[in-house]
Amino acid sequence: MSEEKGNKFDRVIAAGENRYKVPGMYRDWFLDYASYVMLDRAVPYIEDGLKPVQRRILHALKINEDGRYHKVAGIVGDTMKFHPHGDASIYDALVSIQQKELLIDGQGNWGNILTGDGAAAMRYIEAKLSKFALEVVFNPKITEWVPTYDRANMEPVALPIKFPFLLAQGSKGIGVGLKILILPHNFNELLDAAIAALKGEGFDLYPDFPTAGIADCSKYNGGLRGSRVRIRATITKSDKKTLVIKDIPFGETTGSVIASIVAANDSGKIKIKRIDDYSSDKVEIVLQLYNDISPDKTIDALYACTKCAVTISPNSVVIKDGKPEFMTINDILSYCAFHTQDLFEKELNVTLSELEDDWHRMSLEKIFFEMKVYRVLENDAKTWEAQIDDVMNTMLEYQHIVKKPISNDDILKLVEKPVRKISKFDIKAADERLRSTEDQIAKVKYNLEHLTDYTIAHFKNIKNKYGAAHPRLTRIEEFENINAQKVVVANAKLYANFATGFVGLDEKNIDNATFVCECSDIDDIIVFMKNGDYYVTSVKDKTFIGKDIIHISVFKKGDNRTIYNTIYQDGKGGIYFVKRFAVTSITKNKFYNFTQGKPDSTALYFSANPNGEAETIRIHFRPRPKLKKTSENYDFANIAVKGRSSRGNIISRFPIQRIQLKAKGVSTIGGKDIWFDADINRLNDAQRGQYLG
């Protein structure tokens, strides 16, 4: 390896002015580096589900396996014989494997994935292979070996793991231009799915996280790029003033969750009186609320504004046939199931060959002693080779009894045995050993003929032995989307200068600011202007919308109860129209117009009605000759609510001088469903508490 690097540098140095050409360097070096990171560091191999450092750790543990715990410092040192990247990466990988509690048994302080506490130093903790690992991971007889990086030792290309370990443990890593994230799955469900795959039946797999929680896997899509899993902590209501967080989302710790709650509380999105963390081997974060704060609304706000809810985007990538390949979780599972079957075929063939060799050896021994062939050695012969030939010729008379050709090596092994008196008991024992070996051969051949059933029996066996220790921790269910704007506490005030068109939360930076309403700093606002333009945008400290603002309010997407009543003139000197409309959905940061869009159109009257009220107005016309009526009343209840793009109805062809409110109206739409929240003794329309009607 060092010679190859030296040759590359020599070429660059000798290239003169051409040594600075980037394309050649990129082609020759960067792609080599990218391939190295993919194949040797970041991406797991589909054959055993391991990255190289993980495989080398398990190999080092197996070499020193004696049933006792060993210092991790020693294990790391042994692994460095195979791994060229130092002790830190080995130690971190070893801790990560042990925390999955599947292949490595640990003794000492190995950290806590719930609280984020790190493991103790490597000199203080000990480890050994688990019983499960010893049963399903190793078999040197069918393992392919290659020299290590320094050619001083041999290491396995892939371990013959007879279990879908990659999907049980999960994997994550960052390659060159590629992020890998394979989520962990349930031990028992993987075995059931492997059995189904071998039977040709369908199966579904969903993640199961060691941190438990609740997962929405409706967009899991087999873990491919573009898939998404939403995860929430389990939050229960202990009493009217107390919430308890009992588990956390995957990838988070109690510390990160608490920090996010504190940040949301400090910004005013939620109101928490006190936080207590009693977590150890189980999560228990207790939140104390103020008397006037709804616990149900706070739970929704915690999901919307803190790390009590997270979204994970898996990207399932493995090394297959020497290159990265995107595969679904189901495809990986099926590959592992049939790969296990192939491994058993290799194991059984090796076992069959060994048994047949044993049967051949024992048969020759029986013939040699029972037929007194050893007496040939008592005959006179000129040379030792001649005696061997005589024994060979005599043994060949019994060739029809054995199944393999008798070789010179077989004869040499026979004559090297001490000639001893063979009793009747010895002959019977030899016959029993032969019959036992024949039974074993028959059993192995049967298993080879029924390889699928044999593999299924293996999966059932390890499920019966180890499955009870791996119950499902994560609950699978679909979530409803939580609109953060509806559940956060109003933590800000909205101000505006209606004439200049500036809007924002910072009163000091807006000249002649007028208070509009209370809001939160994550709300959207809708702004209407005199020329008919309206616009939805996120609230900011200060932003310019447009001059001559006539209405501002917090925008609620999907709100079909807020009805806007308006009278506008269609262009300069045009006809006057009246319309009622709702704005339920709109593209943010894009201008719309509720008039017909002619230049110089003007809104003469505008009102926003949160419950669809229809007021009565008095319209005063501009005086002119032969005008019969100088004013008239108009009730907005006489016009139906239509879409925001409709032009409305003609209300007058005569010039209007002014419009004034005569009487406030009542709602023209159906009643609103109301609930009673007994925890804070308040009515609400957010479906919290007892439904009243």
Side-chain angles (χ1 to χ4, degrees):
M1 184 181 295
S2 60
E3 292 180 359
E4 293 178 359
K5 289 184 177 179
N7 292 336
K8 286 186 177 181
F9 286 115
D10 290 341
R11 290 202 308 271
V12 172
I13 294 171
E17 61 181 11
N18 294 328
R19 67 179 180 271
Y20 297 111
K21 290 185 177 180
V22 175
M25 296 173 65
Y26 182 90
R27 181 178 61 253
D28 294 338
W29 292 353
F30 180 76
L31 295 182
D32 288 346
Y33 168 73
S35 299
Y36 166 73
V37 172
M38 293 287 188
L39 299 177
D40 287 353
R41 300 192 73 172
V43 186
Y45 282 64
I46 192 171
E47 288 82 4
D48 56 8
L50 299 170
K51 297 179 183 180
V53 64
Q54 297 171 327
R55 186 180 304 113
R56 289 160 180 161
I57 289 169
L58 295 175
H59 175 54
L61 281 166
K62 177 60 176 173
I63 291 175
N64 297 314
E65 171 60 31
D66 57 4
R68 298 182 299 174
Y69 289 98
H70 295 267
K71 287 285 187 182
V72 167
I75 298 170
V76 170
D78 292 334
T79 307
M80 288 180 69
K81 298 175 184 177
F82 312 104
H83 193 65
H85 295 294
D87 59 348
S89 62
I90 298 172
Y91 171 71
D92 291 341
L94 178 58
V95 171
S96 178
I97 297 173
Q98 193 283 330
Q99 288 179 339
K100 302 297 190 300
E101 299 182 346
L102 195 60
L103 298 184
I104 297 178
D105 284 340
Q107 187 168 267
N109 177 15
W110 284 83
N112 190 326
I113 61 172
L114 300 177
T115 62
D117 296 334
M122 64 179 75
R123 61 185 178 275
Y124 296 123
I125 52 179
E126 299 176 332
K128 67 176 182 178
L129 290 170
S130 67
K131 293 181 180 179
F132 174 77
L134 292 171
E135 182 171 347
V136 305
V137 174
F138 304 98
N139 188 338
K141 295 178 182 178
I142 61 171
T143 302
E144 182 182 354
W145 303 87
V146 293
T148 56
Y149 68 97
D150 59 358
R151 300 190 176 276
N153 297 282
M154 299 294 288
E155 64 174 324
V157 174
L159 292 174
I161 297 182
K162 297 177 284 293
F163 174 78
F165 175 71
L166 174 59
L167 299 183
Q169 177 178 259
S171 184
K172 63 179 179 179
I174 298 177
V176 179
L178 181 67
K179 179 181 178 182
I180 302 96
L181 179 58
I182 299 174
L183 301 180
H185 296 73
N186 181 259
F187 182 94
N188 296 296
E189 292 172 10
L190 288 173
L191 293 172
D192 292 338
I195 293 171
L198 291 171
K199 291 181 177 180
E201 300 172 353
F203 57 89
D204 293 314
L205 285 173
Y206 299 108
D208 187 24
F209 304 113
T211 54
I214 313 167
D216 180 352
C217 300
S218 57
K219 296 184 179 179
Y220 187 35
N221 193 29
L224 289 177
R225 285 181 296 181
S227 59
R228 186 179 69 174
V229 177
R230 297 193 294 167
I231 312 168
R232 290 179 179 175
T234 300
I235 306 176
T236 60
K237 185 169 61 175
S238 177
D239 55 48
K240 295 180 180 181
K241 300 179 183 179
T242 308
L243 300 178
V244 181
I245 301 175
K246 294 188 173 182
D247 50 46
I248 55 177
F250 179 66
E252 302 296 333
T253 64
T254 54
S256 65
V257 170
I258 291 173
S260 70
I261 295 173
V262 171
N265 183 72
D266 291 344
S267 64
K269 293 183 176 67
I270 58 176
K271 289 187 177 181
I272 303 295
K273 185 177 181 180
R274 179 178 172 181
I275 303 176
D276 295 307
D277 185 10
Y278 301 110
S279 304
S280 56
D281 58 332
K282 293 183 179 180
V283 173
E284 186 179 1
I285 302 172
V286 179
L287 308 179
Q288 301 291 339
L289 307 181
Y290 292 97
N291 293 337
D292 60 341
I293 299 299
S294 167
D296 292 326
K297 185 176 180 180
T298 302
I299 290 174
D300 288 344
L302 288 169
Y303 287 144
C305 303
T306 73
K307 290 185 177 180
C308 289
V310 299
T311 299
I312 294 178
S313 298
N315 191 17
S316 178
V317 187
V318 295
I319 299 297
K320 183 181 179 184
D321 299 328
K323 60 184 179 181
E325 184 170 330
F326 295 93
M327 296 180 67
T328 66
I329 297 304
N330 285 20
D331 289 341
I332 293 175
L333 188 281
S334 296
Y335 180 94
C336 292
F338 287 100
H339 180 63
T340 299
Q341 182 172 288
D342 294 339
L343 292 175
F344 276 125
E345 184 177 14
K346 292 180 181 179
E347 282 191 357
L348 290 171
N349 280 320
V350 169
T351 302
L352 179 61
S353 177
E354 292 174 345
L355 288 172
E356 289 177 342
D357 289 343
D358 289 343
W359 186 90
H360 182 71
R361 174 184 54 78
M362 288 187 290
S363 297
L364 291 179
E365 286 182 1
K366 181 183 177 184
I367 294 170
F368 186 70
F369 290 108
E370 187 176 20
M371 301 302 176
K372 298 181 174 54
V373 178
Y374 60 87
R375 289 183 175 178
V376 175
L377 297 173
E378 299 174 359
N379 299 334
D380 292 333
K382 294 182 179 180
T383 63
W384 172 249
E385 288 76 12
Q387 277 192 323
I388 295 298
D389 290 340
D390 291 342
V391 174
M392 169 65 84
N393 293 331
T394 305
M395 289 295 296
L396 287 175
E397 296 176 5
Y398 304 99
Q399 176 67 67
H400 63 283
I401 298 177
V402 296
K403 300 175 182 179
K404 291 183 178 182
I406 301 174
S407 66
N408 283 331
D409 289 339
D410 294 331
I411 301 301
L412 290 173
K413 290 178 181 178
L414 287 172
V415 299
E416 288 174 357
K417 293 182 178 294
V419 179
R420 53 189 173 83
K421 184 178 179 180
I422 306 299
S423 66
K424 190 175 182 180
F425 172 79
D426 292 326
I427 295 174
K428 285 185 176 181
D431 288 337
E432 289 177 2
R433 288 196 298 271
L434 279 170
R435 281 194 296 270
S436 175
T437 303
E438 289 169 355
D439 291 341
Q440 293 179 56
I441 290 173
K443 184 177 181 180
V444 171
K445 287 183 176 179
Y446 177 86
N447 290 334
L448 280 169
E449 292 172 358
H450 301 82
L451 197 56
T452 299
D453 293 337
Y454 183 76
T455 309
I456 290 174
H458 161 76
F459 286 136
K460 289 181 177 179
N461 178 52
I462 60 176
K463 181 180 179 181
N464 291 334
K465 290 176 68 174
Y466 305 104
H470 302 280
R472 169 165 277 280
L473 301 176
T474 303
R475 192 165 77 251
I476 305 296
E477 62 180 53
E478 289 193 26
F479 301 154
E480 292 184 358
N481 290 324
I482 296 176
N483 188 341
Q485 297 170 349
K486 291 184 178 180
V487 297
V488 299
V489 177
N491 61 345
K493 294 182 179 181
L494 183 64
Y495 297 91
N497 186 318
F498 287 80
T500 60
F502 284 98
V503 179
L505 303 176
D506 192 347
E507 180 184 10
K508 296 179 181 179
N509 287 337
I510 301 176
D511 295 334
N512 300 318
T514 301
F515 172 74
V516 177
C517 64
E518 291 188 345
C519 65
S520 74
D521 55 9
I522 63 171
D523 276 335
D524 293 331
I525 56 172
I526 186 167
V527 183
F528 292 87
M529 284 160 279
K530 193 170 184 179
N531 63 358
D533 286 341
Y534 60 100
Y535 182 81
V536 171
T537 187
S538 299
V539 65
K540 301 179 180 65
D541 287 341
K542 181 181 179 181
T543 186
F544 176 76
I545 303 296
K547 294 184 178 181
D548 297 325
I549 296 173
I550 57 176
H551 176 75
I552 306 174
S553 63
V554 174
F555 177 70
K556 299 176 182 178
K557 188 176 181 180
D559 180 13
N560 56 9
R561 295 189 64 86
T562 300
I563 305 300
Y564 302 102
N565 301 337
T566 185
I567 294 176
Y568 69 90
Q569 185 179 21
D570 184 28
K572 187 175 183 179
I575 300 173
Y576 296 88
F577 289 84
V578 59
K579 66 183 289 186
R580 302 181 72 203
F581 64 98
V583 181
T584 57
S585 180
I586 192 172
T587 302
K588 288 175 62 174
N589 302 318
K590 178 181 178 181
F591 278 99
Y592 295 82
N593 195 285
F594 60 77
T595 72
Q596 298 175 51
K598 291 183 180 179
D600 298 324
S601 294
T602 304
L604 278 73
Y605 179 85
F606 187 92
S607 68
N609 306 278
N611 286 299
E613 293 87 350
E615 66 270 31
T616 301
I617 57 174
R618 184 75 176 175
I619 302 174
H620 297 270
F621 299 103
R622 188 177 301 163
R624 57 180 295 178
K626 299 181 181 180
L627 184 64
K628 295 181 180 180
K629 292 191 298 183
T630 59
S631 64
E632 66 178 8
N633 294 335
Y634 183 81
D635 188 351
F636 274 99
N638 295 330
I639 184 172
V641 177
K642 296 184 178 180
R644 53 187 171 86
S645 59
S646 66
R647 73 170 192 172
N649 295 349
I650 296 175
I651 192 172
S652 175
R653 297 180 183 274
F654 301 112
I656 296 176
Q657 186 175 33
R658 72 179 190 277
I659 300 174
Q660 64 182 120
L661 178 65
K662 183 176 181 181
K664 293 182 179 180
V666 295
S667 177
T668 58
I669 57 180
K672 182 185 292 188
D673 290 334
I674 298 297
W675 285 259
F676 175 69
D677 189 341
D679 292 330
I680 55 175
N681 295 323
R682 290 183 182 176
L683 300 175
N684 68 86
D685 60 356
Q687 302 183 13
R688 289 190 295 272
Q690 181 183 357
Y691 177 67
L692 300 180

